[in-house]
Amino acid sequence: MKMQSSFVIFVVFLLCCCNCNIPTPSKRPLEGATVNKFKSTGSEYQSEAYALSSIYLADLSKREEKVHATAVQYLKSLEDRVKLVKAYIADYNNSQTTVEKDINSAIREIDVGASPIKSFKMISRFAEDLRAIVRIRDDAENTFMERMMEIQGLHNWPTEDDAHDIMDGILRIQFFYKLNLTEFVEGTIDGTQTGVKLTSRHCWSIAQFALSLQFYTLALEWFSVTKWKLRQENVEERWPELSEEMVIAAERFTREHHDEHFDDQLKSGSPFIYTTRIGEGPELPITMREHLMNNYIGREFCTKNEFSFINFVALCNGHNFQTKEDKTKLRCWLERDLHPYFKINPLKMELMHETPSLVQIHDFIGEHWIQVLKRTANPTLKRPPPRKDEETTPRTAIYAWLSDEEIEEIDLIKKIESLTSINVATQKASDRLQIAAYTFGGHVGLHVDSLDKNAYLDERGDRILTLLMYLNDVQQGGLTVFQTMGTSAKPIKGSALLWYNSLKNGAVDRRTVHAACPLILGQKWIATKWTHLNENMFKWRCSTDPEI
Ligand SMILES: *[C@@H]1O[C@H](CO)[C@@H](O)[C@H](O)[C@H]1NC(C)=O
Ligand SMILES: *[C@@H]1O[C@H](CO)[C@@H](O)[C@H](O)[C@H]1NC(C)=O
């Protein structure tokens, strides 16, 4: 199985990109998977993928409705054909006398010619019965194939890679959130009943996939739930190629490999990934997430190398690491004074963190603007091509980039300028507005928006300001977390997050490191505006004091 996976990229990311000095990544395998193995596969992405795009998925779902209707017809034609074939065979059988079966074929040929009844029946079988069988087949196959070809249409036929992307998303959610798999396979996702269940066969596929990525403890959870489902299902419901013995054997294999890797890790001196050997015990091992969550969360760990990641996970689960003192500084207010624009319609500001400042502005954009943004973005939403700097535009969402002209009918740019008092209009001052749409599992690892060392490549200068607008309410998951600040923002429709990426001396403000938590359910649409330095030299007050 090809080990391409954005979860994997995510793992690479968490191990080496979150601004933490983890030694050589290859010495920090996650549940035994070597990071280098992951790295080498990063470029194998297909250019478009179903799993990540709600639009492709919706399109595919419409097409499948037609395929389903065709399949129902097709089944009926197959049944009709079976009836005709049976009738043909019976007619043939009934045309032979018992005596004939004993005489040799040379005599039989003469005999057929001698009997008008037998000759008539034989000719009828060819002229009508067999012809009908062939005709029904041709009609059914043609309609069926036509429908199937339609699926090939816009975005190609979903592949094994698409299935991997989906399973990847499921594993990511499983890892990030304490997902109850028993409930999940029965259609309840994090407390919400979706009404659609998985079968033992699906569970088996996900278990195998997790195993192929060497996520042993995740795989064991899936094997366990596979067994549970197998016992529930009727024999007729089960996939014939799957048996409980197979699952038990796979579990044993997984446990052995887990323990081998555990021993290797212990020898190499970096055992923190594992809790213990599993051996043959009947209990499922405690997952890595639980182990880390139990032992290494808290403010003191937030910025410490290997623990920063688990604190990111904790923030995604709603933890907050701000101190009492931090919290006393937080407040909400109506802002009227930034610009005359806001005199009548004041901004609803919520200070999420004081220094560096992080503000969530509620009701920043209304329904009409949101519809315009989504509608304008729709035709060009695409998965980005593979790139080295995965963190800039992660491939777990689809994106569109809108120029100022494309969104002229709304006053967004002017509103952002009024809010920030810096130049946002024109391509020189800012990036085009990025629209991103995520489906479940979609996420962005820890990163800063600053271009930092690449900034000199950009004639516009570094990205000094980020304004991130939420275009919908997210059902579950999908928080925006600021690790060093120890806080998170909820995607609330129409609200916007605002922060500055650079210190006044121009250096990157690493305290703005942030991430988008995996989405558990629903979709997440955001619009982001990054504003650059060079057009704002005089508006952006410079200082040589690194503390500001
Ligand atoms: C026709 O005869 C074959 C053997 O000659 C037998 O296997 C089959 O069951 C018979 N089918 C019917 C419909 O009588
Ligand atoms: C998962 O949910 C089921 C059904 O609600 C419950 O019986 C089981 O104890 C839960 N498992 C865990 C590990 O919480």
Side-chain angles (χ1 to χ4, degrees), residues 511-530:
R511 296 170 301 181
T512 60
V513 65
H514 60 283
C517 301
L519 202 58
I520 303 176
L521 203 57
Q523 299 180 22
K524 181 181 170 190
W525 287 71
I526 56 170
T528 311
K529 194 75 180 163
W530 289 286

Side-chain angles (χ1 to χ4, degrees), residues 225-243:
V225 85
T226 308
K227 275 194 302 196
W228 179 73
K229 281 256 56 156
L230 270 173
R231 284 179 206 143
Q232 284 200 328
E233 287 163 354
N234 301 327
V235 181
E236 308 89 66
E237 281 178 321
R238 285 189 202 166
W239 190 40
E241 289 172 48
L242 181 60
S243 67

